[in-house]
Each structure stands twice: as C-alpha cells, then as structure tokens.
Amino acid sequence: MKQYLSIIILICTINLLKAQTRTVELLKDWKFSNYDYGAAFQEDFNDSKWDNVTVPHDWAAKGDFDFANDVQLTMVIQDGESKPRLRMGRSGALPYTGIGWYRTNYSVSSKNLEQKTQLLFDGAMSNAKVYVNGQYAGERPFGYISFHFDITKFLKAGDNTIAVRLENFNRQSRWYPGAGLYRKVSVIKTNKTHVKTWGTFVTTPSVSKKKAIVNLNLELVGSGDFIIKNEIFNLEGKIVATKKSAVVIKNNKTVKEEFEISKPNLWSLENPNLYTLKTTVLEGSTMIDTYETTFGIRTIRFEVDGFYLNDKKTRFQGVNMHHDLGPTGAAFHRELFVRQMKKMKAMGVNAIRFSHNPPAPEALDVCDELGLLAIDEAFDEWQIGKVINGYSIHFDEWAKTDLTDMIVRDRNHPSVIMWSIGNEIMEQYKLDPNNITDYLNKIVKSLDTTRATTAGFNSANNALKSGMAYTVDVAGFNYKPGIYGAIRKKHPNLKFYASETGGTVSVRNSYKFPVVFDTLHNKRGASLNTFVFPDGHPGNYESTQVPWGYPAVKEFASQEKNTSVYGEFVWTGYDYLGEPSPYHEAKSRSSYFAPVDFVGLEKDKYYLYQTQWKKDEEVLHFFPHWTWPDLNVKSFPVVCYTSYEKAELFVNGKSYGVQTKKPLSTLDFENTNINVEASGGGSWNLTKAYAIVWDDVVYEPGEVKVVAYNKKGKQVAEMTRVTAGEPHHITIEPEIKTINEGEVGVYVISVVDNNGNLCPHYNENMKIDVQGSASFLASGNGDPTNLQNLSKPERKFFNGQAVIFVQSNKKGNVDITTTSGNFKKTNHTLTVK
C-alpha cells in the first residue's frame, strides 16, 4: 500500500511540475555598494551595511556634479575640429565612472529546481559580470543591450544569492551613460520545454482591407511530443485566429504557422491597433508553457520618393531621444517616458530615433501603444573609436551578438520600421576599409528582411563615395539641408532622410538682445562666428547654434522643396545630460538643442514645430515675455509662431500693425557642391518665412497682445502677456493628479505675482518636503549650468519655474511643501491609487 501511495505522490508531483507554466518575477530589491569588494560575488559575503536600493537604479544620478568627473581633451571631427580641445560636462559631469556591486537573494523551492530558470537584464551599465551563489554565470560589456543567462545549474533549494559587478570607465561615452542596474531585472521560470526567450517572430506579408496573412516563426526549446496552440486576440480580447498542431521536439525546434485574419484593424499613427499572439505548449492536456507576443498588422514601403505606411506616403516628423529621463537620470521609469512621448505627440512628432543605442524594451512598447514610428539603433562606434573606452574596444568580439539580440528582442514591434547599424561612424572618413557596413547589414538581413537597414552619416560625401550610403537600404544624413537637391541630382535612385537636424541652442524663457544671426561660413559651410554667452544662457530667437547647426526653419524650407527626402529627426526632442555644446567652457552639464528642456517644460520653438507639424490645429504663441526691469536695449523683435494667416501686435493698446509670414522665393543656403556639407546659421528672412515678426518693438511695461486673423480678416484668437509684479506666492501643479502605486509623479512649481503672472526673473532657492504616499526623488529647473545635486530636496528656480519628481510608495495622498524665502506652499492634490 505504501508503495502504491509513493507512486501516486510521484505521479502527482510530476504532473504538478508540468502544470507549472512560465512565471516572470521582477527583482526590485537589492543591496548596493560603490566600493569594489573583491569577495562580493561570494555567497556568504556580508552585505548588511550596503545601501538598500530599488531597481531600476542609477547610482551616478544621485551624485554631485563635478567637472573633474569628465574632463576630456579631445578632437571632435564631427565639429570640424583639426586639433584637440578641452571639454567639460561632455558626459554630464556626474560621477558615473567606477565600480558598482549589486546583491540580492532569490528563494527557490525544491520542486522548482526541476524547472528552467533564466535571469534577464533589460540593460546594465556596464561591463556586467553576473554571479549566482558565488559561481560565474556570464558577462556582457555593452551597457545598452538586453541579455539573459540560464542559471538553473547554479541554483539550490532555499535562498540563492545573485551578485552583479558593473564597471564604467572614464571616457567611455560622449554623453551621460548612466550607471548601475538602470533597467528592469527579471527571473523567468519555465518548464524544461518552453518557448525560447525572444523566440517568436510575427510578420504580415500580405495585408488588405479584406484580410491579412500573419506568419509566425516559433522557436521551441526542449524534447518530447507536444501540442502547440496559437491564438491571436484583438485589442478587445476576442480570438480572431487560432491554430493547433502536434510537434516532436528534439533539443529545439522551429515551428512555422500561417494565419488569416478577416478585416484586420491596421496599426497606424492615428489608430495604433495591436494584436496579441498567445502560444500555449501542451503535453497531452497539461499546459506546460504560455508565451505572449504583441504585434501589429501594417505595411511599410521604402521608395525613392518617400516612405509609405499602409500605402500612405508619410513624412517623418521625428526627434532623436537619448535615454536619460532628465533629473531622475538613466533609470527607466515607464511613466516618465510616456510623459515625454505624449508631449512629443502634442508637438506633432510621429517618429523617434533612439540615439544612439538600443532603448529599454518598454520604450518600444510605448511607441507601439501611442502610434509612433521608431528607428532602433545599435551602435555609436564600430572599430574606430570616438572616445578612448567606447564601444570600439568591444566591437570585434561582441558586435554580432549585440546586434543579433537587439533585433530578435525588438522585431515584433510594429513601431520599428528601420534598424540602424550606426551613427556618425568614424569609418566614413577612411571609406570603410574593412567593409563593416556590409558585415552588419548582412547580420540584420539574416534575421529580418521586413524592415529597412539604415545608418546616420554626418559625412554625406564620404558615405556616398565609399558606397556605405548604398549598402544600407535607406541612408540617413545628419545636418545637410543645403545639399539635398545636389544629392538627389547626383544620386537619383538613392533613398534617404534627415537623421539629425537643427543645432540651434536655447534655454527656456531666456532672451538676449540685440538679436544677431551669424551669416559667415567657412569652406565647409559651417558658421564662423557662433556667439557663446558667458552665463551659459542663450536666447530663444534661434540665432545661436553650434558651428554645424541651423534653425528649424531652414530644414522646413529644404524639405518642402525636396519632397523625396523622407522627413527629419530633430536633434533632440528633450534636452539630455551631457554634450552641452557649445557651452563646455561655461561649465554646463546638459544639452541645449531641444524644443523641450531638461525637466520637460516647453521652449518657444516647441510651438514653431506645432505650426509646421500640426497644421490642422490652432496655434498662437509669441515671445519674449514682457517683464524687463533692466533692459539694455530700447527695442527688440517680437516673434509669433502661429497657424493663422496674419496677426496684429498691440503694446498697451498701440498697434504695431498687421503682419503675415513672408514665404521664400529662393533658398540662398542651397549648394550644388556636395563637398560643402554644412549649412550653419539662420537669418531673419528664413525666420519670417515661418513666423510673424515685428522687428523693432519699443518696450513699455504693461500689456502686450497679439490678435490673430483668418483669411477674411476676422479675429479668431488672441494671446496676452503682461508685465509681472513683485513675486507674491508659489504655485504647485501636478501634471497628472492620479498615479499608480510605485509610479513617479511630476509637479511644476512656479513663482507668480499677485495676479498669477509668472515672475520670469525669480531664481531663488527652494526647499522641498514630501510626505504622505510618496518620497522626494529628484528635481531640476531647466538650467544647464545649475549644479545642485539632482536628488537632494532643494532647487533654485530658473526663470520662475522648477519641476519636482516624487516616488510613490503606498496608496493615498501625496503632501508636498515648497519654501522659498518668505513663500511657502503645500499641495495635497496628487493621489496614489
């Protein structure tokens, strides 16, 4: 009887193990130390005095700014330099170099030891070495790539120790790379037979309004006889297609299936419809694994005359995005990336180029959900480096693996339309002697032929001469509006787009007078006399730039004339940590290029892009502000970005006349010589083609108003600014009033006068206190020269405003109090649900 009972228990145990399907558990709670303990990988190492941290975690973002952290004496060929220059703040001036150790405990039951266990990192910065119970499990040097290890053989029943050693080197990046386990870490438990991680590839080779053919390539790991059931669900959760088949697996197997979906809901920019493929592995009637794949049904085509989405020609209204999220650093918070993308969509953006490395996988999920096209980019360096310890030192050994993992991880995202194999690679200048362009291009094509390959070339002449621009499917050219016509004439069959555009610099609500454009150029076409303001605060008239940069209006004019250019990607959507060009000497630690500043507040040119990219919406915005107690000039230009036909300016009731935009008859910046690659600087003529300008407006305290009229002369909108009085009180506005537990909340803090008008010269310090259902996380103010620690609860206002980020930790209300001088304000309106 005991023998039969033992057999029954054994059978039940085996069936129970088989019935345990895939589980994914986030490893959030870790111990952390910056000290390089040689024995920290060991199972019994005492980490009791280490810091308790929550992953995602960027340890460098919590440090103090110090320009000794990233002083670089370097020559930047992209900037047209012929000798090295001293650069400070190039990688953000934060202490990202050095060692970081992470340790956590993971409990495993004895029955789970029969399962397969994988450890998945969405990204770890950088040179990761992973240990389980003191045993080496694997490593990955590239900080931006996702990677996973099978750790089954290292596990034991009970508590298990996972340790990760990370090391960032000085001069390993041109911008702020982040530091630590800055993206999610997951444990994936499966049966021995399971769907391989990243093992599904869904394609839609045939799409019409009536039906879509959906193909599945499915990789299975394990051995035995199984039933594979695949079900496709629409956005409402209804099954729209299903297939079931018997398979015999020996170690691993690839299964192919074809589905037909009637009247498919296409994924588009306006309606980003998504489907979910659910794959179930059954042994008899026992379910042993499930795996879900989100995908979209859509068609993409790359023709000489343009890019087509679902057979509709679609111009790229794109921006480049670095991976940091402002004052919170590189730690990926999904809700903060959603915040960024919603603001970009509101500006008219329809495409994101992830510059210049693979993003967090959740970032592509957001693009899928919001309806944004994406360029997934692999590398900023190949064999020839831009910085001493950059990716070039790993390229030969790791490039194939890293590129492969990026593609197999991301190739089910409908948002991804192109794979970029590189950005401004130095091999351009030597005409790609080792033919790396072809090498990488072939790797991509071996994994995915449904999308185009691309690269961002800053030397169009060299990329064309060497054939690199033809080796990829679609060439990207950085900062070349003056030669689009020349490129098309000489290369009539070339497919290309503007992978980086812009390059003017500004900070929010700052204006410098008089307004002077640099119209002098060198032989390359770069600006010669770009002015750098000693305080590190350029104005918002789009009149100052890096030597190779130019205002948005120049790109608009060139793209309107050269309609076969696929569109543009602005450098950048948001200001980011590092690369404060041209303000290295001003000791700045973040960039100046974007229409949205470092903390997520709009600059004036945000509205310029709206007028061009959201033509169906009503836009009326003018600048500068109207509070000038210490003005050094008698008059200045007033610029209006608007979608309306004409507008009239009033100062204290006095009209400065009705003005309209003044379209260009010719583009005087165009060049027929492809060798003149740069097109630096702007002009008033260019500005007035896309904005309404009143040239010499005499400043008088009081009220300034712009009234907009339609074609028939009827007043349709108005905007008013007034001279602010003395600072009177603080306002606190949460951007979103309800967030989920564990998410980050964002507040905009302003100092206003008695009537609620922003005080644009208020720059005093503020103390911050957060209580209730959240804790203080970070703050910033949009000033690239502000060196206060991002994670300490105080912040100077910059031009009257600052932004605070709080980390929610339980349900309830968040109580935030800000104090500046005699002003104190408390807000209770943010709720954590």
Side-chain angles (χ1 to χ4, degrees), residues 316-335:
F316 297 151
Q317 297 174 179
V319 294
N320 288 268
M321 292 293 294
H322 267 300
H323 72 304
D324 76 65
L325 292 169
T328 59
F332 190 83
H333 298 276
R334 190 184 196 275
E335 62 275 17

Side-chain angles (χ1 to χ4, degrees), residues 180-369:
L181 296 178
Y182 72 114
R183 296 177 183 167
K184 295 200 315 291
V185 181
S186 308
V187 172
I188 304 171
K189 292 188 292 186
T190 65
N191 280 286
K192 290 183 178 179
T193 298
H194 59 276
V195 177
K196 184 180 179 180
T197 299
W198 307 332
T200 58
F201 183 25
V202 180
T203 58
T204 55
S206 176
V207 177
S208 70
K209 291 182 180 180
K210 292 183 178 180
K211 69 176 182 179
I213 301 299
V214 177
N215 285 345
L216 167 65
N217 198 80
L218 173 67
E219 294 181 78
L220 298 164
V221 176
S223 296
D225 297 346
F226 300 93
I227 303 295
I228 308 299
K229 182 171 70 172
N230 288 292
E231 301 165 292
I232 295 177
F233 298 82
N234 64 15
L235 206 54
E236 290 74 40
K238 179 183 176 181
I239 296 177
V240 295
T242 184
K243 285 283 182 75
K244 184 183 286 190
S245 58
V247 299
V248 178
I249 306 173
K250 294 182 179 180
N251 295 324
N252 52 64
K253 184 179 181 66
T254 299
V255 175
K256 298 181 184 296
E257 292 282 12
E258 181 175 290
F259 307 85
E260 184 177 304
I261 297 178
S262 299
K263 297 180 180 179
N265 294 315
L266 302 190
W267 185 91
S268 67
L269 302 177
E270 301 78 17
N271 297 294
N273 296 294
L274 294 170
Y275 289 84
T276 300
L277 169 73
K278 182 179 179 181
T279 301
T280 304
V281 181
L282 300 112
E283 187 170 18
S285 60
T286 302
M287 181 170 62
I288 65 168
D289 191 25
T290 58
Y291 191 94
E292 292 190 354
T293 305
T294 301
F295 69 97
I297 298 174
R298 49 95 175 119
T299 65
I300 55 176
R301 287 191 289 118
F302 302 87
E303 306 291 351
V304 172
D305 74 316
F307 166 76
Y308 290 80
L309 174 65
N310 299 326
D311 294 324
K312 177 184 177 183
K313 186 174 179 178
T314 303
R315 296 294 291 273
F316 297 151
Q317 297 174 179
V319 294
N320 288 268
M321 292 293 294
H322 267 300
H323 72 304
D324 76 65
L325 292 169
T328 59
F332 190 83
H333 298 276
R334 190 184 196 275
E335 62 275 17
L336 294 185
F337 185 72
V338 169
R339 173 190 185 235
Q340 288 186 332
M341 292 301 98
K342 285 186 175 180
K343 189 154 289 190
M344 290 292 95
K345 287 274 285 189
M347 191 177 83
V349 169
N350 65 12
I352 306 296
R353 178 182 179 228
F354 288 99
S355 48
H356 297 294
N357 298 108
E362 295 157 283
L364 292 173
D365 292 338
V366 172
C367 290
D368 291 345
E369 294 162 12

Side-chain angles (χ1 to χ4, degrees), residues 60-82:
K62 300 181 183 300
D64 291 330
F65 289 106
D66 187 338
F67 291 99
N69 289 325
D70 67 356
V71 174
Q72 296 187 21
L73 181 64
T74 187
M75 181 177 70
V76 180
I77 293 177
Q78 295 93 326
D79 287 358
E81 295 179 354
S82 57

